[in-house]
Amino acid sequence: MHNLFNHILKYLRNLLLFSIISFFSLNALAEQSVEDIIKGRQQIFDRNYTMAKRVQALSEQGKFDEAINLMVRMNEGYKKVINMFPENTKKGFGTEALPTIWEDKENFNQLMVKTSDDLIKLTSLIKETDNIEATLGQFMWGNCKACHNKFREEH
């Protein structure tokens, strides 16, 4: 009987140890996942900003085909980023997202869709416009500004 008791005690101790290890491992994986999401969306926004500056320069140089290729890539980024703001990613890992994204999720998502749609419109307008700066301001930079004003911390 004493042997059975020791065996059960050893089993329970191992079960407890396994549970504790699993708990911390799952939390670490969950944190990693949150980090990946936050850093992933930051990367998309950073890349889109870099491409937007390049679109501006290329358009001013009359290199419209190259600019259009970048606009299409930016469009894809805005479509992806809509799904990168789950509730558990409000804080940490250098996020500059304001709580208004989650409080006003519908408007944030609509702005991302509008930005994406406007970039596609811009691909057909950029070659024909008489005022490149104003057209880029209306269909690209204006959306960036609208998002930053409402959904991003100042820096």
Side-chain angles (χ1 to χ4, degrees):
M1 179 98 166
H2 183 331
N3 202 12
L4 179 62
F5 179 75
N6 283 339
H7 187 67
I8 291 172
L9 189 58
K10 187 176 180 180
Y11 174 77
L12 290 174
R13 186 180 43 168
N14 287 340
L15 183 62
L16 178 63
L17 182 61
F18 176 74
S19 297
I20 290 170
I21 290 170
S22 296
F23 174 77
F24 286 110
S25 296
L26 289 174
N27 281 345
L29 289 174
E31 284 298 314
Q32 184 64 38
S33 177
V34 168
E35 181 179 11
D36 288 345
I37 293 168
I38 292 172
K39 288 184 177 183
R41 69 186 185 217
Q42 289 170 333
Q43 184 180 33
I44 289 172
F45 284 125
D46 288 346
R47 186 175 56 234
N48 277 4
Y49 177 66
T50 299
M51 285 190 281
K53 291 191 303 185
R54 188 78 179 124
V55 164
Q56 178 92 34
L58 290 168
S59 297
E60 290 170 353
Q61 296 167 12
K63 297 179 180 178
F64 299 115
D65 290 334
E66 291 178 58
I68 288 169
N69 287 334
L70 292 176
M71 290 176 220
V72 171
R73 287 180 55 202
M74 290 170 62
N75 160 280
E76 293 165 3
Y78 287 112
K79 287 179 183 177
K80 286 180 188 175
V81 84
I82 287 174
N83 297 315
M84 298 181 81
F85 287 89
E87 286 292 320
N88 64 339
T89 64
K90 291 180 180 180
K91 294 183 181 179
F93 305 103
T95 186
E96 295 176 343
L98 290 174
T100 52
I101 289 176
W102 293 271
E103 295 163 2
D104 196 5
K105 186 74 166 150
E106 186 176 333
N107 282 329
F108 174 77
N109 289 347
Q110 287 174 355
L111 181 56
M112 294 300 104
V113 169
K114 179 185 180 304
T115 303
S116 179
D117 291 346
D118 281 357
L119 283 165
I120 295 303
K121 289 177 192 170
L122 185 56
T123 63
S124 62
L125 297 172
I126 196 69
K127 290 181 180 181
E128 308 303 323
T129 186
D130 292 329
N131 188 338
I132 290 171
E133 187 174 336
T135 303
L136 290 171
Q138 179 182 354
F139 289 95
M140 186 175 68
W141 295 118
N143 289 320
C144 295
K145 184 177 183 196
C147 183
H148 285 221
N149 287 344
K150 187 168 184 180
F151 298 112
R152 185 178 181 203
E153 287 180 358
E154 286 187 45
H155 60 289

